[in-house]
Amino acid sequence: MFVVAPSGAEDLAGFIRETLPRETVLGCDGAAEAIARADAARRSGQAAAVFIFDFRGKPVGDLAEQVRQVRNAHTAAELIVIADGRDSAAFAACLQVTQTPETLTFLLAPLQRQEAMRAVRIVAERYRALHQAKRELEERNRSIVGLETRGRELNARLDIAMHAARHDGLTGVLNRAGFVDELTLRLGRRLQKQTVLLIDLDRFKSVNDTLGHDAGDDLVRKICAAMSAIVPAGDILARLGGDEFGIIIEGASQAGVVEFCARVLRVCGQSRRVQGHEVQVSASIGVAYQGDNHTQTELMRHADLALHAAKTEGRNRFRIYDTAIDKAAKHRVSIEHGLERAMNTNQLKMAYQPIVKAENGQILGFEALVRWNSPEHGPISPADFVPVAEETGLILDLGDWITRQALKDCRRWNGPYVSVNLSARQFLRHNVAERILQYAEDADLAPRRIQIELTETAIIDDVERADQNLKILRAAGVRVALDDFGTGYSSLVYLNQFAIDCIKIDKSFVDNVTRDRQSAVIVASVARLAASLGMTVVAEGVETEEQRQILIAAGCGALQGYRFGKPMSARDVTTLLAGLAASADAPEARLV
Ligand code: C2E
Ligand code: CA
Ligand code: CA
């Protein structure tokens, strides 16, 4: 603390130094010097805390002026005026010139030493306390400001973290967590009905596989931006995972939703330039409307089931959730559980359907078809349970069982090959080729008596792996057939790059060959093209003699269908083959 005191006859400064031993006390003559010294001290960082005036025996007119000057220059300082007690006008004048009477103290002469010391000490204390409080207040204000700033920073950082936690890094739209939060929030508000769309790009994996992940990312970004442009303001678009998006729209009519889905499909299906390549994908959409009391989980589950239905119904479409979808889903679950049991309790059997030479009915081979007779549901079509097994992964164990059984059964027949269906998931399994060859060895069956049937999805889903597997199998002598030809997308010329021996023309074409000439022409040109590429052709699902005639004329080398034989048990095959071999006029087994 810094005290300015008059130096003079009585050495007031000395007396005050004694009173405040730890403070700096400046002795000066008159207000001008006091102010000058106090100013100098302030410039060096020390504010004068107390000014003491000694006006004993001096003209009072001067007093008020000096007090005014000091007060103006050092507003926060304490002022002590020592004056003769007689002149009350002096005090009034002083009070008038200072706006802060609470920091003005009068000491009346003659001075009582003890009294005066106490007064000076009290004033100094008051100053210290006041200023300490002020400093603390300032300090606190500063730290409050600091806290606020830090708070704001923290909030900002929290915002960033929250943003990152709720947003997708690639596209900048909400991620799954953000989507779920938003949906929960909107359902909680109970204002307008919400509609959830789950969107999944079809065959997106093949873009990643053929053009690389950067191209895949680029495509996702572009499609997301395009969708974002058509999502109504105030509604939500999110990227829920790799190639899956979610949209929440509020208060839309059914017709509005249908129209919106069609727009989303159009936007997703546009051809786009991605890293120098022209790329086109389609999308499948599952839609769920908010009913009464729908929770976020239910709504998402419904949309998911609808999406699943859209996918299995052929992709590039939308499905709106209804109870039929739910029933189908429950059926799927019951099949899933039942199938697991079926594999362990001998409910599965193999059936074999003959494949014959078109011109003379000679048996070339048998297609192995799995049969399930369930105690709960009765006979279930493989068309129903194989896709479920495929989805759940059960197909791997199931497929192993089927392959081993089929190869073992074939070993007992003399001559014909066995043709085993492999689903996409089975075929893309690690070491599938080695596995099949191992089963052949276990069954002691020559690989040239094995044919595998693949759909083009199994090949196109992972072109590289498919190519490797096909080469190993072909090199060992296993034949490869392309199943359901004509139902997919690819051209024969494209598929020719893979090691394929045979194509199986789908039953849907065969059904039509007797009805319209167009189908017969298509079958004929496919057969010709296949022959020129060194592949053989099997027509499937031949039921009538008329079909047989047309298919022979069209150039199909082999036929399969009820016209020649339905799928039968392994024992029936043995009996059939034995019967045919024994008949006198047939050196080879024939079904005409
Ligand atoms: P797919 O491979 O196209 O099999 C041909 C289907 O057509 C079989 O039905 C067969 O019984 C039926 N079929 C054959 N000839 C005729 C005919 O003249 N008329 C009619 N209406 N149908 C005929 P299935 O056995 O019900 O099999 C359905 C599908 O299930 C198969 O279609 C195949 O995709 C799958 N599948 C069957 N068995 C297996 C298997 O062991 N493994 C795998 N992965 N899939 C299998
Ligand atoms: Ca087949
Ligand atoms: Ca087929």
Side-chain angles (χ1 to χ4, degrees), residues 106-318:
F106 293 103
L107 292 181
L108 297 186
L111 276 182
Q112 286 265 307
R113 199 177 166 86
Q114 288 301 322
E115 190 81 355
M117 280 176 82
R118 213 168 68 88
V120 169
R121 218 178 285 127
I122 286 171
V123 168
E125 273 310 308
R126 187 167 70 194
Y127 177 88
R128 206 199 314 271
L130 248 167
H131 283 262
Q132 180 116 359
K134 216 169 117 189
R135 252 204 318 278
E136 276 173 12
L137 199 69
E138 276 169 11
E139 185 67 24
R140 206 171 315 145
N141 278 342
R142 250 199 309 280
S143 70
I144 285 172
V145 170
L147 271 178
E148 278 174 351
T149 315
R150 272 192 48 207
R152 267 196 301 275
E153 275 170 13
L154 269 177
N155 272 342
R157 233 173 294 161
L158 209 62
D159 279 352
I160 293 169
M162 288 282 285
H163 187 88
R166 286 166 47 91
H167 286 75
D168 171 50
L170 181 66
T171 58
V173 298
L174 286 179
N175 61 14
R176 184 176 285 273
F179 185 80
V180 167
D181 282 357
E182 192 63 37
L183 182 57
T184 311
L185 202 79
R186 285 175 171 228
L187 293 175
R189 281 207 298 259
R190 294 170 198 278
L191 291 173
Q192 285 187 296
K193 294 281 187 211
Q194 310 294 328
T195 303
V196 170
L197 275 71
L198 295 183
I199 302 147
D200 194 277
L201 303 181
D202 303 325
R203 304 193 199 290
F204 174 74
K205 193 176 167 294
S206 65
V207 175
N208 265 341
D209 288 350
T210 48
L211 301 180
H213 285 268
D214 286 349
D217 284 357
D218 200 17
L219 183 63
V220 163
R221 246 193 317 259
K222 285 188 165 131
I223 289 181
C224 186
M227 275 200 283
S228 158
I230 61 164
V231 170
D235 286 336
I236 298 292
L237 167 67
R239 179 175 176 233
L240 307 180
D243 61 339
E244 200 186 335
F245 297 89
I247 292 177
I248 309 170
I249 42 183
E250 191 163 62
S253 68
Q254 289 226 7
V257 169
V258 166
E259 198 195 313
F260 181 66
C261 286
R263 282 187 79 188
V264 173
L265 289 180
R266 266 201 306 280
V267 159
C268 290
Q270 272 159 11
S271 162
R272 296 189 162 78
R273 213 154 171 81
V274 171
Q275 308 208 332
H277 299 270
E278 208 60 36
V279 177
Q280 192 174 14
V281 292
S282 58
S284 301
I285 307 177
V287 183
Y289 298 120
Q290 177 190 0
D292 301 324
N293 304 320
H294 268 154
T295 63
Q296 167 268 320
T297 324
E298 276 173 321
L299 209 50
M300 291 283 278
R301 191 180 77 88
H302 289 178
D304 197 46
L305 290 174
L307 172 62
H308 185 273
K311 287 258 176 207
T312 49
E313 282 164 22
R315 302 178 161 107
N316 192 22
R317 68 194 62 212
F318 64 92

Side-chain angles (χ1 to χ4, degrees), residues 9-26:
E10 227 180 298
D11 191 15
L12 205 54
F15 151 65
I16 291 171
R17 267 186 207 106
E18 238 174 85
T19 313
L20 304 169
R22 284 207 298 258
E23 317 300 344
T24 311
V25 179
L26 290 179

Side-chain angles (χ1 to χ4, degrees), residues 367 421 453 483 504 540:
E367 176 172 2
N421 293 284
E453 298 192 11
D483 205 359
K504 297 188 77 172
E540 287 189 296

